Amino acid sequence: MSVHATARIVATREGLPVLTGEGPLAVRRTRATGPGSRVTVVGAMSAPLGGDRLAIEAEVRDGAALTVDAAAATVALPGRAAGGVDASQPEHACYEVRLAVGENAELNWLPQQLISANGSDLRMRTRVELAATGRLVLREEQILGRHGERPGTLTTRLTVRRADRPLFDQELSFGPGAPGGWDGGAVLGGHRAVGQLLIAGPEFEKEPAKPRSLGENAVLTPLAGPGVLVTAVAHDARELRRTLDEVLLDAWW
């Protein structure tokens, strides 16, 4: 039997009036090291499995600040066989992330890695609505297969709208169910870790960033709006995190 679960977070200047989770999505208030509130997502059971439908909603209201992280990586696993004509075909899992950042508000969305285990099939969709004076730091990291195994099928899409206008929209597909060439030299080149860091905020209107290389396997690209995107590939999760963390700690932003 598949799991349907939603976690919801609402942050205001006064705190966290809404903090609820279901099934595998447990959310806990944790000690903040910076301004505003901090919430940690704690996996309460193995998920997502094939057929599961999971969602996280986070709303940061005007003037509030929120950091969301996770206690552990999310592992997409093979699921139960779907019914119907071909009962041997596992049903894909879905993971929806819906984020809203108000005026003069700030959201740091910093989950742990998403691991695509062999045999899994996950469709992940992240949507962000960012107010004109809101600020967003969003990190995504995908690890294609556990140690020594082939990856599952993973499709992710990230859409960011700022002030009701498109800022960023990108879809990535990896694994045996993805179009051919995903592992070639023009895409991953044999690497098994891929990630991106998106930073958007009004400070980029005053001083837009310039494109630059961040080593052999990472690049910083200004968005067509007030923000930047850092894209990186790496051989493993540790190398990928080190690259993205260096950008977060860099004084340029």
Side-chain angles (χ1 to χ4, degrees):
M1 182 177 180
S2 61
V3 174
H4 291 230
T6 300
R8 188 159 185 256
I9 306 164
V10 175
T12 67
R13 297 179 185 179
E14 292 73 31
L16 298 167
V18 178
L19 187 62
T20 61
E22 300 174 334
L25 298 175
V27 286
R28 300 286 185 264
R29 185 195 311 262
T30 47
R31 179 175 296 180
T33 56
S37 301
R38 177 185 171 195
V39 171
T40 298
V41 180
V42 180
M45 55 190 288
S46 295
L49 301 174
D52 288 351
R53 300 291 184 265
L54 307 180
I56 296 182
E57 301 175 355
E59 179 187 358
V60 189
R61 294 182 179 169
D62 294 355
L66 174 67
T67 295
V68 178
D69 57 19
T74 297
V75 184
L77 296 167
R80 299 151 290 270
V85 177
D86 185 2
S88 66
Q89 180 63 39
E91 187 179 0
H92 71 266
C94 290
Y95 199 153
E96 291 270 346
V97 177
R98 297 182 284 270
L99 310 174
V101 185
E103 299 290 352
N104 298 305
E106 179 176 343
L107 173 61
N108 298 296
W109 187 260
L110 303 170
Q112 294 293 339
Q113 298 91 350
L114 170 62
I115 301 172
S116 176
N118 185 35
S120 65
D121 188 351
L122 176 64
R123 321 286 170 83
M124 185 166 185
R125 179 70 188 268
T126 301
R127 296 181 176 91
V128 184
E129 291 289 340
L130 181 65
T133 56
R135 190 170 188 278
L136 172 70
V137 176
L138 183 147
R139 182 181 67 207
E140 287 190 336
E141 298 167 301
Q142 293 92 30
I143 311 303
L144 306 180
R146 292 171 291 193
H147 181 70
E149 75 173 9
R150 294 178 57 81
T153 297
L154 174 63
T155 299
T156 69
R157 184 172 179 181
L158 171 60
T159 302
V160 181
R161 292 177 57 85
R162 177 183 179 272
D164 294 325
R165 300 184 63 181
L167 178 66
F168 183 76
D169 194 346
Q170 176 176 274
E171 182 172 292
L172 302 172
S173 294
F174 309 108
W182 65 271
D183 198 25
V187 187
L188 295 185
H191 295 85
R192 282 295 176 266
V194 58
Q196 54 193 12
L197 180 68
L198 189 149
I199 305 174
E203 66 267 33
F204 294 103
E205 292 180 318
K206 300 176 183 177
E207 188 176 352
K210 297 180 180 179
R212 60 187 172 105
S213 172
L214 302 174
E216 184 179 354
N217 296 316
V219 64
L220 183 150
T221 306
L223 299 176
V228 298
L229 177 72
V230 175
T231 304
V233 296
H235 292 289
D236 56 33
R238 180 179 298 181
E239 180 185 336
L240 177 65
R241 177 63 59 85
R242 183 170 60 247
T243 298
L244 297 181
D245 278 354
E246 287 175 357
V247 178
L248 278 175
L249 294 172
D250 197 338
W252 67 266
W253 64 273

